[in-house]
Amino acid sequence: MRETNWLKLESGSDIRGIAIADNEQDIELTEEVVEKIGRSFAFWLGDKLDIETNNLEIGIGHDSRLSADKLSQSLSTGIRSAGADTYFTGLASTPAMFMSTVFASYNYDGAVMITASHLPSDKNGFKFFTKEGGLEKADIQEILKLAARNDFRSVNRTGQDFKIDLMEDYSNHLKNLVRANLNEEVDQEKPLKGFKVILDAGNGSGGFFVDKILKPLGADTEGSQFLEPDGNFPNHPPNPEDKEAMASIQGAVKVTNADLGIIFDTDVDRAAVVDGDGNSINRNKLIALASAIVLEENPGSTIVTDSVTSVGLNKFIEEKLGGKHHRFKRGYKNVINEAIRLEQEGIKAPLAIETSGHAALKENYFLDDGAYLVAKILIKMANLATEGIKLKSLIEDLEEANIKKEFRMDIDLEDYKDYGQQVIDDLKEYVTKIPGWKLAPNNYQGVRISTGGNDWFLLRMSLHDPVLVLNIECDLDKDLNQTLTEIKEFLNRYNAIKSIGF
């Protein structure tokens, strides 16, 4: 039997690995491995909460992946072997699984979502929650080390397995949110009556949003697509950042003449929308829209974003909306933790949002929840309609660069992190020799360079891979070509950097 490389399964604040393969020897999330992960999580959680594992209650849910049922059974077996009870909801969203730890009628000690987000269908993984939120990278490493040691203390019982209908209660939670925040002029029971709102669930677990939320709120949802869960993801990648996926929902909005299109990723912790003209509202536009909504409710507060947001977005948040823009590191967990840190220092930071579509609001436990963000957008759409105003008007002053590019370059070294950091440090010196280039302030990740006007680029290390990532925005092709020429001349000094694709 192949020896398990346990720490290889750590992926940031999640566990991920190969769950399906033609050759069984290639499968990383085997039955035995997953049982040990479940058992380790139960003992880790019991120790953290100072509760005997016999008294723990842990929720389990999954997205539409083909390996979901098998992994659910193995995970439950492992958790129950530690003495804890499991509560299985079946198909669920990641945000709903967290809410099972705080809903009064559930109040579980912990929860696990079986998902690998937008990764290919052969992958799967686990996201873990306590009442404090998602686990950190260090927690995941501790759980995996426990599993690797395989030295568990004995317990005097095997936990029981119960079935629950969490998604019904989670859906009611979102409907109540919408109805509680409507203007008096809006139909309080069916605020979306007269609106055509369609959903693209990407064959993930977000299809519930149509029947359980949009229709009860009065929306015409005819034309919604790919609502059936299918782990083969036969229509397009379940990812709002994917061009094919976004083009699909844009096309559906145009064909059906919808007022709003919604698209979720597989496990519904990310979302994007499309306006009635078929224009995508994602990345900088989604951040701008969310900021407009949040800053109206929290004037002058700080919006925390990741490192690749545009100059135009900064102007929009600070000059148009009167807020403060805190551009931090790439990675949704980094952005969320930074907002929490600011709040602890007395700085109001009600929204942490990444260009990928992860959006976490303080009012919602700083939980990155795509469905919650969409609910906030639906509220705003219904309220604005009483004044004859459309959603797109909220972001019409956002300046957007004409050209947006991302390039990824492999580092062919074992010790790639130190090498990549040296490249970034050297670039800071190189920049001083290029007329018109200057370091942007507050570089929390990599190095960001202003190249004139609203043009900029950012060179950073990938969060998980031996890859340097170059993001660049500008308005003119000639400026793009000139900037890329300078960057390529700089990068050609480094023999370990491969595949410079520009």
Side-chain angles (χ1 to χ4, degrees), residues 346-365:
I347 299 170
K348 288 184 65 176
L351 173 64
I353 182 166
E354 196 186 28
T355 47
S356 65
H358 284 283
L361 285 88
K362 179 186 177 183
E363 68 184 54
N364 189 41
Y365 305 93

Side-chain angles (χ1 to χ4, degrees), residues 374-419:
V374 169
K376 295 283 287 187
I377 292 171
L378 293 173
I379 293 166
K380 193 63 178 176
M381 183 176 74
N383 286 339
L384 286 175
T386 63
E387 306 172 47
I389 300 173
K390 294 187 176 181
L391 269 177
K392 65 180 182 180
S393 67
L394 295 182
I395 58 173
E396 60 188 5
D397 292 333
L398 174 67
E399 298 175 12
E400 286 255 87
N402 294 325
I403 301 169
K404 305 169 190 175
K405 298 285 187 180
E406 179 174 289
F407 303 93
R408 300 174 66 86
M409 296 153 285
D410 297 330
I411 300 176
D412 189 18
L413 278 178
E414 191 75 27
D415 187 18
Y416 66 88
K417 290 184 179 179
D418 288 343
Y419 188 87

Side-chain angles (χ1 to χ4, degrees), residues 213-229:
I213 297 172
L214 292 176
K215 287 183 179 179
L217 292 175
D220 173 3
T221 62
E222 189 68 29
S224 293
Q225 59 188 18
F226 316 140
L227 306 183
E228 290 299 316

Side-chain angles (χ1 to χ4, degrees), residues 289-299 301 303 350-351 361 363 376:
L289 178 59
S291 299
I293 294 170
V294 169
L295 286 171
E296 183 179 0
E297 300 168 352
N298 303 270
S301 59
I303 306 298
L351 173 64
L361 285 88
E363 68 184 54
K376 295 283 287 187

Side-chain angles (χ1 to χ4, degrees), residues 150-169:
N150 194 29
D151 183 22
F152 301 105
R153 59 184 179 267
S154 59
V155 295
N156 58 16
R157 76 184 283 261
T158 298
Q160 299 183 69
D161 183 31
F162 301 94
K163 300 292 188 291
I164 59 171
D165 187 5
L166 173 65
M167 294 307 294
E168 185 67 30
D169 291 310

Side-chain angles (χ1 to χ4, degrees), residues 275-500:
D275 69 21
D277 295 325
N279 300 310
S280 62
I281 302 179
N282 61 351
R283 299 184 66 80
N284 287 294
K285 288 182 178 179
L286 184 67
I287 297 173
L289 178 59
S291 299
I293 294 170
V294 169
L295 286 171
E296 183 179 0
E297 300 168 352
N298 303 270
S301 59
T302 296
I303 306 298
V304 182
T305 74
D306 63 340
S307 58
V308 299
T309 48
S310 68
V311 174
L313 179 67
N314 177 271
K315 289 182 177 179
F316 182 79
I317 291 173
E318 299 200 342
E319 297 177 13
K320 170 69 175 178
L321 302 179
K324 296 180 178 64
H325 180 202
H326 184 64
R327 181 172 51 80
F328 195 57
K329 297 178 181 178
R330 187 83 164 151
Y332 75 93
K333 197 68 172 159
N334 291 328
V335 173
I336 291 171
N337 287 345
E338 180 68 359
I340 293 171
R341 184 189 70 80
L342 291 175
E343 283 280 342
Q344 291 170 344
E345 291 186 358
I347 299 170
K348 288 184 65 176
L351 173 64
I353 182 166
E354 196 186 28
T355 47
S356 65
H358 284 283
L361 285 88
K362 179 186 177 183
E363 68 184 54
N364 189 41
Y365 305 93
F366 275 121
L367 172 67
D368 50 320
D369 184 344
Y372 192 95
L373 176 64
V374 169
K376 295 283 287 187
I377 292 171
L378 293 173
I379 293 166
K380 193 63 178 176
M381 183 176 74
N383 286 339
L384 286 175
T386 63
E387 306 172 47
I389 300 173
K390 294 187 176 181
L391 269 177
K392 65 180 182 180
S393 67
L394 295 182
I395 58 173
E396 60 188 5
D397 292 333
L398 174 67
E399 298 175 12
E400 286 255 87
N402 294 325
I403 301 169
K404 305 169 190 175
K405 298 285 187 180
E406 179 174 289
F407 303 93
R408 300 174 66 86
M409 296 153 285
D410 297 330
I411 300 176
D412 189 18
L413 278 178
E414 191 75 27
D415 187 18
Y416 66 88
K417 290 184 179 179
D418 288 343
Y419 188 87
Q421 187 56 52
Q422 186 61 57
V423 173
I424 289 168
D425 290 340
D426 291 348
L427 179 59
K428 294 176 184 178
E429 175 64 25
Y430 184 79
V431 165
T432 63
K433 302 174 184 177
I434 309 297
W437 285 17
K438 62 180 181 179
L439 283 171
N442 302 324
N443 280 280
Y444 294 102
Q445 181 180 43
V447 58
R448 180 164 169 144
I449 310 298
S450 299
T451 56
N454 290 337
D455 297 354
W456 61 272
F457 71 85
L458 171 72
L459 186 68
R460 60 184 173 87
M461 285 294 300
S462 167
L463 291 177
H464 306 301
D465 302 314
V467 171
L468 275 169
V469 184
L470 174 68
N471 296 93
I472 184 167
E473 289 193 7
C474 59
D475 288 325
L476 300 176
D477 285 330
K478 69 178 184 64
D479 293 333
L480 172 67
N481 294 332
Q482 182 178 343
T483 299
L484 289 179
T485 298
E486 292 284 3
I487 296 171
K488 188 170 186 177
E489 181 177 335
F490 167 76
L491 292 177
N492 279 337
R493 304 175 178 185
Y494 302 90
N495 294 331
I497 299 178
K498 307 298 181 183
S499 62
I500 300 178

Side-chain angles (χ1 to χ4, degrees), residues 1 106 110 249 400 439:
M1 182 178 174
Y106 296 91
I249 183 61
E400 286 255 87
L439 283 171

